Amino acid sequence: MATAAQDSTAGAALTFPEGFLWGSATASYQIEGAAAEDGRTPSIWDTYARTPGKVRNGDTGDIATDHYHRWREDVAMMADLGIGAYRFSLAWPRVQPTGRGPAVQKGLDFYRRLVDELLEKGIKPVATLYHWDLPQELEDAGGWPERATAERFAEYAAIAADALGDRVATWTTLNEPWCSAFLGYGSGVHAPGRTDPVDALRAAHHLNLGHGLAVQALRSRIPADAQVSVTLNIHHVRPLTDAAEDVDSARRIDALANRVFTGPMLGGAYPEDLLKDTAGLTDWSFVRDGDLTEIHQPLDFLGVNYYTPTLVSKADGSGTHNSDGHGRSSHSPWPAADEVAFHQPPGETTAMGWAVDATGMYDLLRRLDADFPGLPLVITENGAAFDDYADPNGEVKDPARIAYVRDHLAAVHRAIQDGTDVRGYFLWSLLDNFEWGYGYSKRFGAVYVDYPTGRRIPKASARWYSEVARTGVLPGA
């Protein structure tokens, strides 16, 4: 297969369509800090990060990048960089500390001020309701494996819409529910750190249900021309060889990684092969009559997060039993897939150990266009972690990140040229931040954060991306 460097567009400047949205993204727990201020109570990530051995170096999000206090500075920096849109998430325990009952207005006021400042600077706010920080009290009551959590999520969505629906025109229900379900309840490398494969499948269903109920809550409160979406980390799964058993392994992982969400959300049904593959674990009786109708709600676009492809084969003693990019565990995040092995794709890797392969972006976008014709796509996350540092001149040079983003944007452009309706691109991430189980050891940001002081230093990639966003032109390699 050709690499991005072999793409015929690699040396040419590429112009994106007029109106293409250029943005950057963050998540509440990763940047906000202020973990116990203005009524915020612990989320599952506060609890998990404080559990010895769960997060590298014992890091927590207690302070993070202190965005809760430095938000005005951060918005000014976005404006200086020419960022057209900012995708952020609301912290559920900051808005509704117990996951039940009325909102805390001080928590909502933070997001009101943030959104007003974005609008004043000409930056489009894109709000995500859930980026993994479930209120701990809801987890104590059973968490996402329980139906009640989906119902509470819809109530929280209504609170957010009532507070911000007059000024936020683009909403996302969930970010990467695969991580919430299968890393949180399957392999345990994400909060809440549970390791039950049936709970992981139950969680996936109730995340789907929560999404559908939240879409309905949003639609009933926001203007008719506002947009509603969901963001999925669609895995681009490739078989190691063309052998039938490897192709079947790819099918099995595709069902668990992708179609467990796209099936009910976009098609109104769970895939039959998924139900058959997992029949030895569960009869799926937690799916009640009417659930699939609740889940299958019209969306204005699908958010797509892509970083690296997934390479699998039938287990033969090589490879590993899991591949999640967020930590090792003796428990697999893949229920009923013990006969599948995961392999490191060839070639260059990022600081996360993830293969750099922009052809996966192109192939994924073309597949989604074929599977869901007429549904617009937005790249809601794409980026890379590298071992960045400030040099003696106070500059952060990150040519590998520029090359990564350039190649992936070229793949997006190629997909658009071939007929895929891609409406925008959000760089992950605006800032270096708390990278989940890796703590502060991995830097994804276009802006370097000196954690002891909180100082922000735009990296070379930030200035490069700024020019792309301002002009809509991707320079040649």
Side-chain angles (χ1 to χ4, degrees):
M1 179 172 290
T3 66
Q6 294 170 316
D7 192 300
S8 62
T9 65
L14 306 172
T15 301
F16 278 75
E18 186 175 352
F20 190 85
L21 190 63
W22 298 97
S24 190
T26 64
S28 52
Y29 189 73
Q30 293 182 275
I31 67 165
E32 284 183 1
E37 291 189 33
D38 295 335
R40 185 188 181 278
T41 56
S43 73
I44 55 175
W45 266 99
D46 293 280
T47 302
Y48 185 82
R50 290 189 177 95
T51 303
K54 295 298 186 182
V55 175
R56 186 171 295 184
N57 301 320
D59 292 340
T60 74
D62 287 358
I63 299 172
T65 70
D66 200 27
H67 175 72
Y68 192 76
H69 299 113
R70 305 181 70 146
W71 59 274
R72 187 171 276 111
E73 172 189 352
D74 290 339
V75 174
M77 183 174 57
M78 281 186 260
D80 179 63
L81 292 172
I83 301 296
Y86 176 49
R87 177 177 174 255
F88 63 97
S89 72
L90 282 68
W92 191 349
R94 193 180 297 288
V95 170
Q96 195 187 27
T98 66
R100 301 179 179 84
V104 171
Q105 292 304 313
K106 283 188 176 180
L108 282 172
D109 284 345
F110 168 70
Y111 298 109
R112 291 184 178 109
R113 291 190 299 269
L114 173 64
V115 168
D116 287 347
E117 188 77 3
L118 290 167
L119 292 171
E120 184 177 321
K121 299 292 188 183
I123 300 169
K124 180 179 181 177
V126 178
T128 297
L129 289 171
Y130 188 72
H131 200 130
W132 309 349
D133 41 6
L134 183 72
Q136 182 61 43
E137 285 199 27
L138 291 185
E139 173 58 26
D140 292 342
W144 283 110
E146 298 300 320
R147 171 174 294 266
T149 304
E151 297 165 347
R152 299 293 82 76
F153 182 62
E155 295 166 4
Y156 157 62
I159 289 171
D162 286 342
L164 300 171
D166 62 338
R167 63 198 91 176
V168 174
T170 304
W171 293 83
T172 298
T173 55
L174 305 171
N175 179 81
E176 297 186 349
W178 182 85
C179 294
S180 298
F182 296 101
L183 300 184
Y185 295 93
S187 64
V189 300
H190 274 194
R194 287 159 61 179
T195 55
D196 185 317
V198 177
D199 276 351
L201 293 169
R202 289 173 60 91
H205 174 64
H206 293 129
L207 283 155
N208 282 330
L209 181 61
H211 157 78
L213 296 175
V215 170
Q216 295 173 70
L218 290 169
R219 296 276 191 209
S220 69
R221 287 165 170 81
I222 60 178
D225 59 351
Q227 294 187 312
V228 178
S229 67
V230 67
T231 282
L232 303 178
N233 55 320
I234 304 287
H235 293 59
H236 181 58
V237 187
R238 291 169 170 163
L240 182 66
T241 73
D242 292 333
E245 57 267 30
D246 289 357
V247 172
D248 189 65
S249 294
R251 176 207 57 78
R252 183 180 290 261
I253 296 305
D254 180 63
L256 287 166
N258 302 327
R259 292 182 285 120
V260 66
F261 299 110
T262 59
M265 286 183 182
L266 303 180
Y270 282 103
E272 288 296 330
D273 62 326
L274 171 69
L275 303 182
K276 181 178 179 182
D277 289 344
T278 57
L281 291 173
T282 177
D283 61 3
W284 289 76
S285 58
F286 47 80
V287 180
R288 297 184 186 174
D289 289 347
D291 281 3
L292 292 167
T293 300
E294 299 282 14
I295 295 167
H296 185 208
Q297 299 296 319
L299 297 178
D300 296 292
F301 65 88
L302 175 65
V304 179
N305 291 358
Y306 172 82
Y307 292 93
T308 189
T310 300
L311 187 63
V312 302
S313 72
K314 180 176 174 59
D316 60 0
S318 65
T320 62
H321 76 278
N322 65 16
S323 175
D324 53 56
H326 289 284
R328 295 187 178 277
S329 170
S330 59
H331 299 272
S332 173
W334 305 103
D338 292 342
E339 295 184 359
V340 177
F342 293 80
H343 302 267
Q344 176 67 34
E348 178 188 357
T349 60
T350 69
M352 296 292 288
W354 299 349
V356 177
D357 187 345
T359 65
M361 172 76 88
Y362 173 82
D363 293 344
L364 178 59
L365 293 175
R366 294 301 290 152
R367 178 222 171 147
L368 291 170
D369 182 54
D371 288 352
F372 309 108
L375 180 62
L377 307 174
V378 173
I379 307 303
T380 39
E381 287 183 26
N382 176 243
F386 292 103
D387 295 325
D388 305 317
Y389 61 92
D391 68 20
N393 296 321
E395 298 177 346
V396 182
K397 299 172 182 175
D398 55 343
R401 181 172 291 105
I402 293 173
Y404 177 98
V405 175
R406 198 271 167 198
D407 285 348
H408 284 75
L409 280 172
V412 174
H413 184 274
R414 181 182 166 208
I416 293 172
Q417 292 296 105
D418 289 346
T420 305
D421 186 4
V422 185
R423 302 281 180 90
Y425 176 94
F426 287 78
L427 178 66
W428 185 270
S429 174
L430 175 67
L431 300 162
D432 289 338
N433 53 41
F434 178 88
E435 184 50 41
W436 310 114
Y438 291 95
Y440 297 100
S441 68
K442 304 297 182 184
R443 294 181 178 270
F444 273 91
V447 175
Y448 184 90
V449 176
D450 177 62
Y451 292 114
T453 65
R455 182 187 176 199
R456 277 84 160 125
I457 305 173
K459 302 174 187 178
S461 61
R463 298 300 180 190
W464 177 88
Y465 184 66
S466 171
E467 186 65 17
V468 175
R470 289 181 192 279
T471 64
V473 177
L474 181 67

PDB file of all heavy atoms in Angstrom, residues 9 34 83 85 91 125 135 138 145-146 153 159 171 187 224 233 274 306 346 384 419 449:
ATOM      1  N   THR A   9      -0.166  13.902  -4.240  1.00  0.00           N
ATOM      2  CA  THR A   9      -0.379  15.285  -3.803  1.00  0.00           C
ATOM      3  C   THR A   9       0.691  15.754  -2.831  1.00  0.00           C
ATOM      4  O   THR A   9       0.643  16.881  -2.368  1.00  0.00           O
ATOM      5  CB  THR A   9      -1.750  15.414  -3.116  1.00  0.00           C
ATOM      6  OG1 THR A   9      -1.740  14.624  -1.909  1.00  0.00           O
ATOM      7  CG2 THR A   9      -2.864  14.953  -4.008  1.00  0.00           C
ATOM      8  N   ALA A  34      -9.125  23.200  38.637  1.00  0.00           N
ATOM      9  CA  ALA A  34     -10.181  23.701  39.538  1.00  0.00           C
ATOM     10  C   ALA A  34     -11.124  22.573  39.936  1.00  0.00           C
ATOM     11  O   ALA A  34     -12.344  22.696  39.892  1.00  0.00           O
ATOM     12  CB  ALA A  34     -10.943  24.852  38.882  1.00  0.00           C
ATOM     13  N   ILE A  83      -7.843  30.487  14.726  1.00  0.00           N
ATOM     14  CA  ILE A  83      -8.670  29.297  14.842  1.00  0.00           C
ATOM     15  C   ILE A  83     -10.132  29.682  14.624  1.00  0.00           C
ATOM     16  O   ILE A  83     -10.657  30.576  15.288  1.00  0.00           O
ATOM     17  CB  ILE A  83      -8.498  28.642  16.226  1.00  0.00           C
ATOM     18  CG1 ILE A  83      -7.039  28.251  16.463  1.00  0.00           C
ATOM     19  CG2 ILE A  83      -9.425  27.451  16.389  1.00  0.00           C
ATOM     20  CD1 ILE A  83      -6.514  27.196  15.538  1.00  0.00           C
ATOM     21  N   ALA A  85     -12.893  27.637  14.932  1.00  0.00           N
ATOM     22  CA  ALA A  85     -13.853  26.942  15.779  1.00  0.00           C
ATOM     23  C   ALA A  85     -13.114  26.266  16.921  1.00  0.00           C
ATOM     24  O   ALA A  85     -11.966  25.838  16.765  1.00  0.00           O
ATOM     25  CB  ALA A  85     -14.641  25.909  14.978  1.00  0.00           C
ATOM     26  N   ALA A  91     -17.855  19.801  31.676  1.00  0.00           N
ATOM     27  CA  ALA A  91     -17.624  18.835  32.746  1.00  0.00           C
ATOM     28  C   ALA A  91     -18.958  18.585  33.444  1.00  0.00           C
ATOM     29  O   ALA A  91     -19.487  19.462  34.123  1.00  0.00           O
ATOM     30  CB  ALA A  91     -16.588  19.363  33.727  1.00  0.00           C
ATOM     31  N   PRO A 125     -18.182  28.195  18.773  1.00  0.00           N
ATOM     32  CA  PRO A 125     -18.121  27.197  19.838  1.00  0.00           C
ATOM     33  C   PRO A 125     -18.793  25.889  19.430  1.00  0.00           C
ATOM     34  O   PRO A 125     -19.891  25.892  18.869  1.00  0.00           O
ATOM     35  CB  PRO A 125     -18.882  27.871  20.989  1.00  0.00           C
ATOM     36  CG  PRO A 125     -19.832  28.811  20.327  1.00  0.00           C
ATOM     37  CD  PRO A 125     -19.208  29.221  19.020  1.00  0.00           C
ATOM     38  N   PRO A 135     -19.970  11.934  36.673  1.00  0.00           N
ATOM     39  CA  PRO A 135     -19.988  12.191  38.116  1.00  0.00           C
ATOM     40  C   PRO A 135     -19.809  10.897  38.907  1.00  0.00           C
ATOM     41  O   PRO A 135     -20.447   9.886  38.612  1.00  0.00           O
ATOM     42  CB  PRO A 135     -21.378  12.804  38.341  1.00  0.00           C
ATOM     43  CG  PRO A 135     -21.722  13.450  37.030  1.00  0.00           C
ATOM     44  CD  PRO A 135     -21.143  12.532  35.988  1.00  0.00           C
ATOM     45  N   LEU A 138     -22.792   8.847  40.097  1.00  0.00           N
ATOM     46  CA  LEU A 138     -23.486   7.981  39.137  1.00  0.00           C
ATOM     47  C   LEU A 138     -22.732   6.672  38.952  1.00  0.00           C
ATOM     48  O   LEU A 138     -23.351   5.622  38.764  1.00  0.00           O
ATOM     49  CB  LEU A 138     -23.673   8.699  37.800  1.00  0.00           C
ATOM     50  CG  LEU A 138     -24.654   9.868  37.798  1.00  0.00           C
ATOM     51  CD1 LEU A 138     -24.834  10.407  36.376  1.00  0.00           C
ATOM     52  CD2 LEU A 138     -26.004   9.462  38.378  1.00  0.00           C
ATOM     53  N   PRO A 145     -22.985   0.835  32.768  1.00  0.00           N
ATOM     54  CA  PRO A 145     -23.685  -0.438  32.573  1.00  0.00           C
ATOM     55  C   PRO A 145     -25.152  -0.404  33.016  1.00  0.00           C
ATOM     56  O   PRO A 145     -25.902  -1.328  32.705  1.00  0.00           O
ATOM     57  CB  PRO A 145     -22.867  -1.410  33.438  1.00  0.00           C
ATOM     58  CG  PRO A 145     -21.493  -0.838  33.438  1.00  0.00           C
ATOM     59  CD  PRO A 145     -21.715   0.653  33.503  1.00  0.00           C
ATOM     60  N   GLU A 146     -25.560   0.669  33.710  1.00  0.00           N
ATOM     61  CA  GLU A 146     -26.940   0.781  34.182  1.00  0.00           C
ATOM     62  C   GLU A 146     -27.751   1.743  33.320  1.00  0.00           C
ATOM     63  O   GLU A 146     -27.276   2.819  32.958  1.00  0.00           O
ATOM     64  CB  GLU A 146     -26.960   1.251  35.640  1.00  0.00           C
ATOM     65  CG  GLU A 146     -26.286   0.292  36.604  1.00  0.00           C
ATOM     66  CD  GLU A 146     -26.937  -1.077  36.598  1.00  0.00           C
ATOM     67  OE1 GLU A 146     -28.194  -1.144  36.538  1.00  0.00           O
ATOM     68  OE2 GLU A 146     -26.203  -2.087  36.639  1.00  0.00           O
ATOM     69  N   PHE A 153     -28.204  11.224  31.779  1.00  0.00           N
ATOM     70  CA  PHE A 153     -27.467  11.968  30.751  1.00  0.00           C
ATOM     71  C   PHE A 153     -28.406  12.849  29.942  1.00  0.00           C
ATOM     72  O   PHE A 153     -28.070  13.987  29.607  1.00  0.00           O
ATOM     73  CB  PHE A 153     -26.722  10.981  29.848  1.00  0.00           C
ATOM     74  CG  PHE A 153     -25.880  11.642  28.784  1.00  0.00           C
ATOM     75  CD1 PHE A 153     -24.822  12.464  29.126  1.00  0.00           C
ATOM     76  CD2 PHE A 153     -26.134  11.435  27.433  1.00  0.00           C
ATOM     77  CE1 PHE A 153     -24.035  13.074  28.158  1.00  0.00           C
ATOM     78  CE2 PHE A 153     -25.355  12.028  26.458  1.00  0.00           C
ATOM     79  CZ  PHE A 153     -24.306  12.857  26.821  1.00  0.00           C
ATOM     80  N   ILE A 159     -30.280  20.425  30.605  1.00  0.00           N
ATOM     81  CA  ILE A 159     -29.750  21.550  31.382  1.00  0.00           C
ATOM     82  C   ILE A 159     -28.757  22.354  30.551  1.00  0.00           C
ATOM     83  O   ILE A 159     -28.807  23.596  30.509  1.00  0.00           O
ATOM     84  CB  ILE A 159     -29.077  21.023  32.668  1.00  0.00           C
ATOM     85  CG1 ILE A 159     -30.136  20.512  33.650  1.00  0.00           C
ATOM     86  CG2 ILE A 159     -28.218  22.106  33.321  1.00  0.00           C
ATOM     87  CD1 ILE A 159     -29.555  19.776  34.840  1.00  0.00           C
ATOM     88  N   TRP A 171     -23.575  20.955  18.584  1.00  0.00           N
ATOM     89  CA  TRP A 171     -23.505  20.122  19.774  1.00  0.00           C
ATOM     90  C   TRP A 171     -23.059  18.706  19.418  1.00  0.00           C
ATOM     91  O   TRP A 171     -23.447  18.171  18.386  1.00  0.00           O
ATOM     92  CB  TRP A 171     -24.880  20.042  20.446  1.00  0.00           C
ATOM     93  CG  TRP A 171     -25.343  21.339  21.022  1.00  0.00           C
ATOM     94  CD1 TRP A 171     -25.960  22.372  20.351  1.00  0.00           C
ATOM     95  CD2 TRP A 171     -25.228  21.766  22.384  1.00  0.00           C
ATOM     96  NE1 TRP A 171     -26.226  23.404  21.218  1.00  0.00           N
ATOM     97  CE2 TRP A 171     -25.790  23.050  22.474  1.00  0.00           C
ATOM     98  CE3 TRP A 171     -24.705  21.164  23.534  1.00  0.00           C
ATOM     99  CZ2 TRP A 171     -25.843  23.752  23.671  1.00  0.00           C
ATOM    100  CZ3 TRP A 171     -24.756  21.860  24.729  1.00  0.00           C
ATOM    101  CH2 TRP A 171     -25.321  23.137  24.794  1.00  0.00           C
ATOM    102  N   SER A 187     -11.035  -3.311  29.736  1.00  0.00           N
ATOM    103  CA  SER A 187      -9.619  -3.491  30.082  1.00  0.00           C
ATOM    104  C   SER A 187      -9.247  -2.753  31.353  1.00  0.00           C
ATOM    105  O   SER A 187      -8.223  -3.074  31.974  1.00  0.00           O
ATOM    106  CB  SER A 187      -8.726  -3.014  28.930  1.00  0.00           C
ATOM    107  OG  SER A 187      -8.871  -1.622  28.721  1.00  0.00           O
ATOM    108  N   ALA A 224     -33.943  25.329  15.487  1.00  0.00           N
ATOM    109  CA  ALA A 224     -34.089  24.293  14.462  1.00  0.00           C
ATOM    110  C   ALA A 224     -32.874  24.203  13.550  1.00  0.00           C
ATOM    111  O   ALA A 224     -32.593  23.131  12.990  1.00  0.00           O
ATOM    112  CB  ALA A 224     -35.348  24.554  13.643  1.00  0.00           C
ATOM    113  N   ASN A 233     -14.528   7.330  17.610  1.00  0.00           N
ATOM    114  CA  ASN A 233     -13.166   7.017  17.167  1.00  0.00           C
ATOM    115  C   ASN A 233     -13.243   5.752  16.313  1.00  0.00           C
ATOM    116  O   ASN A 233     -12.932   4.647  16.746  1.00  0.00           O
ATOM    117  CB  ASN A 233     -12.200   6.856  18.345  1.00  0.00           C
ATOM    118  CG  ASN A 233     -12.641   5.839  19.380  1.00  0.00           C
ATOM    119  OD1 ASN A 233     -13.818   5.751  19.726  1.00  0.00           O
ATOM    120  ND2 ASN A 233     -11.695   5.063  19.895  1.00  0.00           N
ATOM    121  N   LEU A 274     -22.207  -9.193  15.411  1.00  0.00           N
ATOM    122  CA  LEU A 274     -21.802  -8.797  16.758  1.00  0.00           C
ATOM    123  C   LEU A 274     -22.576  -9.589  17.805  1.00  0.00           C
ATOM    124  O   LEU A 274     -21.985 -10.110  18.773  1.00  0.00           O
ATOM    125  CB  LEU A 274     -22.035  -7.301  16.957  1.00  0.00           C
ATOM    126  CG  LEU A 274     -21.856  -6.781  18.382  1.00  0.00           C
ATOM    127  CD1 LEU A 274     -20.402  -6.834  18.806  1.00  0.00           C
ATOM    128  CD2 LEU A 274     -22.400  -5.347  18.510  1.00  0.00           C
ATOM    129  N   TYR A 306      -9.521  10.196  14.222  1.00  0.00           N
ATOM    130  CA  TYR A 306      -8.597   9.226  13.627  1.00  0.00           C
ATOM    131  C   TYR A 306      -7.161   9.601  13.986  1.00  0.00           C
ATOM    132  O   TYR A 306      -6.760  10.765  13.865  1.00  0.00           O
ATOM    133  CB  TYR A 306      -8.727   9.177  12.104  1.00  0.00           C
ATOM    134  CG  TYR A 306      -7.634   8.315  11.471  1.00  0.00           C
ATOM    135  CD1 TYR A 306      -7.757   6.929  11.408  1.00  0.00           C
ATOM    136  CD2 TYR A 306      -6.451   8.889  11.007  1.00  0.00           C
ATOM    137  CE1 TYR A 306      -6.740   6.138  10.879  1.00  0.00           C
ATOM    138  CE2 TYR A 306      -5.425   8.112  10.474  1.00  0.00           C
ATOM    139  CZ  TYR A 306      -5.576   6.736  10.418  1.00  0.00           C
ATOM    140  OH  TYR A 306      -4.560   5.950   9.908  1.00  0.00           O
ATOM    141  N   PRO A 346       3.698  -1.235  10.307  1.00  0.00           N
ATOM    142  CA  PRO A 346       5.084  -0.865  10.004  1.00  0.00           C
ATOM    143  C   PRO A 346       5.252   0.645   9.902  1.00  0.00           C
ATOM    144  O   PRO A 346       4.284   1.391   9.734  1.00  0.00           O
ATOM    145  CB  PRO A 346       5.325  -1.533   8.648  1.00  0.00           C
ATOM    146  CG  PRO A 346       3.962  -1.626   8.022  1.00  0.00           C
ATOM    147  CD  PRO A 346       3.025  -1.877   9.164  1.00  0.00           C
ATOM    148  N   ALA A 384      -0.976  14.305  16.896  1.00  0.00           N
ATOM    149  CA  ALA A 384       0.073  13.370  17.297  1.00  0.00           C
ATOM    150  C   ALA A 384       0.838  13.898  18.497  1.00  0.00           C
ATOM    151  O   ALA A 384       1.007  15.110  18.663  1.00  0.00           O
ATOM    152  CB  ALA A 384       1.042  13.142  16.131  1.00  0.00           C
ATOM    153  N   GLY A 419     -15.111  12.847  -3.643  1.00  0.00           N
ATOM    154  CA  GLY A 419     -16.554  12.889  -3.446  1.00  0.00           C
ATOM    155  C   GLY A 419     -17.061  12.775  -2.030  1.00  0.00           C
ATOM    156  O   GLY A 419     -18.281  12.790  -1.807  1.00  0.00           O
ATOM    157  N   VAL A 449       2.769  23.702  26.963  1.00  0.00           N
ATOM    158  CA  VAL A 449       2.458  24.189  28.304  1.00  0.00           C
ATOM    159  C   VAL A 449       3.606  23.838  29.232  1.00  0.00           C
ATOM    160  O   VAL A 449       3.978  22.663  29.362  1.00  0.00           O
ATOM    161  CB  VAL A 449       1.139  23.594  28.831  1.00  0.00           C
ATOM    162  CG1 VAL A 449       0.891  24.038  30.274  1.00  0.00           C
ATOM    163  CG2 VAL A 449      -0.033  23.999  27.946  1.00  0.00           C
TER     164      VAL A 449
END
